[in-house]
Amino acid sequence: MISWNRVTIIGVGLIGGSLGLALKAEGLARRVVGVGHRQVSLDQALARGAADEATLDPAAGAGVLATSPALFRGVMERIGPALAPGAIVIDVGSTKAGIVAALEPMVPEGRVFVGCHPIAGSEQRGIEHARADLFQGASCILTPTERTPPAALDRVGQTWRGVGARVRVLSPQEHDRLLAEVSHLVHLASASLVNVLDDNPQTVVGPGWIDTTRVASGDPALWRDILLSNATEVAAALGQYQRNLDAFRKALLDGDGGRIEGVLTEAKTRRDRLIESKESR
Amino acid sequence: MISWNRVTIIGVGLIGGSLGLALKAEGLARRVVGVGHRQVSLDQALARGAADEATLDPAAGAGVLATSPALFRGVMERIGPALAPGAIVIDVGSTKAGIVAALEPMVPEGRVFVGCHPIAGSEQRGIEHARADLFQGASCILTPTERTPPAALDRVGQTWRGVGARVRVLSPQEHDRLLAEVSHLVHLASASLVNVLDDNPQTVVGPGWIDTTRVASGDPALWRDILLSNATEVAAALGQYQRNLDAFRKALLDGDGGRIEGVLTEAKTRRDRLIESKESR
């Protein structure tokens, strides 16, 4: 059993709070310190048992950056000098190349930074939605660099496995390319789909629309930052998507039923296979 | 309480089977006759209590067309002459203008056709997924014409309300324009999003992708027919979607965070309001 004497979680919202709950539930951390900038969230984190102690000041120890990525650099400037030898800092940001390039050099000699992205959560935010099983069955991508000591990578991986995640290792660049396709593009496509509607009071939405657009209810400022931080890869994925839509439009206007069915069959086959391989993993 | 002596449901799959279960559960039909072209589905419908009797031959009585829309005309040719005076035939197809224009004239004098579209169900098909509460809270759109007797429309509406649906009345054309935006475009957008992925074995999908693409696992032949039967309206909605994506792409490449956040906020606001108004209805 991997265990940590002290895990400091900076930002005890949906992800940070869930990680605190999971670490405690699995006995993976002797002490979880929650750090936030609103006392009310910290009080909730304490009340829910997501942290054993709480402070408004980033504290020393193994650190998890679970706050807004826009704050990562400022937080690292403050916690860097206080990190104990051997301490490991991870982040849980949704893009990796920029974050890893910015934060890794800020960690002092003898301390380690490991980029992480647990693909979990939903359009919800905040400690009130945190749950100990949020990472059960979720994928978590670790993005080491040539500077990452294998032992630290291994320890971080075992901790994510300990809270139920399936760990994958990719380079920060591979991560960003992949996530552009399965997450960032999906978000902008979903929001753009909602915006096709005018404000017709007759509009009726069913379960298909509700699921397809669920992510569009996510936090706009958070997603603005994610999309901008991975703009090149997102634009490339969007380009492919626009070409797919152009071809579909042509088939539709040509009344080409064979081609339409072919595209729909390709999508169904690919999706069913991905879901199946995810479930059997 | 509206009650029917006999309801004949032609096609006892997800929708037809659920309607049979719901009519029986609510005591709205004395007798439900299930009609299908595969004995195994009929046996399942009987075993689940979705029908009291089953036959491979379309029978007389009030009829519900819940089979593939491609078969509607052929079925109407067979059942039309056998319909008792006063009988009402409804369909549950996903597009309405073409279906209503084709079927209404086929109903003999003294019998009535009412186009219906219960917006329920999922990517699943078949009697094995049928459930009595499928229509609870779902919207059901009725599409009368100037030939529809108000009393028949009212009776059909009360039956849908009796199984838990919220009834809306639109013209067949209004229905198709609205559904192009909230359903048909959504389907092709979702399938096209899945097809952005190549078959990279590293691909990891999370809950956002799974929800956004759920409808893409629907039946390709069924959706080919739906899209083709509403091609003009779907192409118009797709055109608006493509313009939205073009604008998003420009904002992304310009690094225009304000504009990106504006689009995401518009989508979130619109979606949250639609979900809220749906829930409070």
Side-chain angles (χ1 to χ4, degrees):
Chain A
M1 157 102 70
I2 295 293
S3 125
W4 302 84
N5 264 323
R6 177 191 175 96
V7 175
T8 303
I9 301 178
I10 299 161
V12 279
L14 175 65
I15 302 290
S18 294
L19 185 58
L21 286 170
L23 290 171
K24 297 299 292 183
E26 302 294 337
L28 292 169
R30 235 159 256 141
R31 201 140 189 84
V32 172
V33 182
V35 183
H37 53 269
R38 287 168 58 226
Q39 189 62 45
V40 58
S41 304
L42 293 178
D43 288 346
Q44 261 189 290
L46 289 171
R48 300 224 23 211
D52 302 299
E53 55 185 284
T55 166
L56 294 163
D57 251 351
V64 178
L65 303 181
T67 183
S68 164
L71 305 177
F72 283 176
R73 287 180 65 98
V75 170
M76 275 299 285
E77 273 169 15
R78 294 182 63 186
I79 67 171
L83 289 172
I88 296 175
V89 179
I90 68 172
D91 80 301
V92 295
S94 298
T95 59
K96 294 268 77 84
I99 287 173
V100 172
L103 299 191
E104 190 170 54
M106 296 176 74
V107 175
E109 184 70 28
R111 288 77 171 164
V112 178
F113 177 80
V114 181
C116 298
H117 180 198
I119 305 178
S122 69
E123 77 282 14
Q124 299 169 324
R125 295 188 72 192
I127 179 71
E128 61 272 31
H129 298 294
R131 20 181 262 261
D133 66 353
L134 188 72
F135 307 107
Q136 290 291 340
S139 295
C140 182
I141 303 178
L142 310 192
T143 60
T145 69
E146 54 192 14
R147 289 177 53 183
T148 313
L153 179 66
D154 189 55
R155 200 161 172 219
V156 170
Q158 288 196 49
T159 302
W160 282 113
R161 278 189 204 95
V163 298
R166 293 154 175 159
V167 171
R168 307 282 294 273
V169 175
L170 296 174
S171 74
Q173 290 71 25
E174 285 171 321
H175 169 279
D176 286 0
R177 194 181 62 74
L178 207 61
L179 268 286
E181 292 178 354
V182 298
S183 172
H184 311 159
L185 168 64
V186 167
H187 196 90
L188 81 81
S190 174
S192 301
L193 206 47
V194 173
N195 287 339
V196 165
L197 302 183
D198 49 26
D199 295 316
N200 184 344
Q202 297 281 22
T203 297
V204 188
V205 297
W209 188 91
I210 290 173
D211 278 3
T212 309
T213 61
R214 184 177 61 75
V215 298
S217 283
D219 182 48
L222 179 73
W223 280 94
R224 174 202 62 206
D225 289 349
I226 292 172
L227 292 168
L228 283 176
S229 72
N230 197 25
T232 308
E233 296 292 354
V234 176
L238 176 55
Q240 183 57 54
Y241 185 48
Q242 290 178 301
R243 285 189 293 278
N244 290 358
L245 292 174
D246 287 341
F248 209 119
R249 179 186 183 83
K250 185 172 182 328
L252 196 62
L253 295 176
D254 290 349
D256 188 344
R259 190 159 162 70
I260 290 174
E261 188 176 353
V263 170
L264 298 180
T265 301
E266 183 186 345
K268 175 176 169 56
T269 306
R270 181 170 276 138
R271 182 177 187 275
D272 290 351
R273 197 170 50 219
L274 271 167
I275 301 280
E276 197 182 330
S277 78
K278 185 179 163 70
E279 280 168 358
S280 66
R281 223 174 259 159
Chain B
M1 158 103 69
I2 295 295
S3 124
W4 303 83
N5 266 322
R6 176 192 176 95
V7 175
T8 303
I9 300 179
I10 299 162
V12 278
L14 175 65
I15 302 292
S18 294
L19 184 58
L21 286 171
L23 290 172
K24 296 300 290 184
E26 303 294 337
L28 292 169
R30 235 158 255 140
R31 200 140 190 85
V32 173
V33 183
V35 183
H37 51 269
R38 287 166 59 226
Q39 189 61 47
V40 58
S41 304
L42 292 179
D43 289 344
Q44 261 188 290
L46 289 171
R48 299 228 18 215
D52 301 300
E53 55 183 284
T55 167
L56 293 163
D57 251 352
V64 178
L65 303 181
T67 183
S68 163
L71 305 176
F72 284 176
R73 286 180 65 98
V75 170
M76 274 299 285
E77 273 168 16
R78 296 183 62 186
I79 67 172
L83 289 172
I88 297 176
V89 180
I90 69 171
D91 80 301
V92 295
S94 298
T95 60
K96 293 269 75 81
I99 288 172
V100 172
L103 299 191
E104 189 169 55
M106 297 177 74
V107 175
E109 186 69 29
R111 288 75 171 166
V112 179
F113 177 80
V114 181
C116 299
H117 180 198
I119 306 179
S122 69
E123 77 282 15
Q124 298 169 327
R125 294 189 74 192
I127 179 72
E128 61 271 31
H129 298 294
R131 17 181 264 262
D133 66 352
L134 188 71
F135 307 107
Q136 289 291 341
S139 295
C140 182
I141 303 180
L142 309 193
T143 59
T145 69
E146 54 193 16
R147 292 177 51 182
T148 312
L153 180 66
D154 190 53
R155 197 159 174 222
V156 171
Q158 288 195 49
T159 303
W160 282 114
R161 279 189 203 95
V163 298
R166 292 154 176 159
V167 170
R168 306 283 292 274
V169 175
L170 296 175
S171 74
Q173 290 70 26
E174 285 172 323
H175 168 278
D176 286 1
R177 195 181 61 73
L178 208 61
L179 268 285
E181 293 178 353
V182 299
S183 172
H184 311 160
L185 168 64
V186 167
H187 196 91
L188 82 80
S190 175
S192 301
L193 205 47
V194 172
N195 287 339
V196 165
L197 302 183
D198 49 26
D199 294 317
N200 184 345
Q202 297 281 20
T203 299
V204 188
V205 297
W209 187 90
I210 290 173
D211 278 3
T212 310
T213 61
R214 182 176 64 73
V215 298
S217 283
D219 182 47
L222 178 74
W223 279 94
R224 174 203 61 206
D225 289 349
I226 291 172
L227 292 167
L228 283 176
S229 72
N230 198 25
T232 308
E233 295 292 354
V234 176
L238 175 55
Q240 182 58 52
Y241 185 48
Q242 290 179 302
R243 286 189 291 279
N244 288 0
L245 292 174
D246 287 340
F248 209 119
R249 180 187 183 82
K250 185 171 181 328
L252 197 62
L253 296 176
D254 291 349
D256 188 344
R259 190 158 163 71
I260 291 174
E261 188 176 354
V263 171
L264 298 180
T265 301
E266 183 186 343
K268 176 178 170 54
T269 305
R270 182 170 276 138
R271 182 178 187 276
D272 290 351
R273 196 171 51 218
L274 271 167
I275 301 279
E276 199 183 328
S277 78
K278 184 178 164 69
E279 281 167 359
S280 66
R281 224 173 261 158

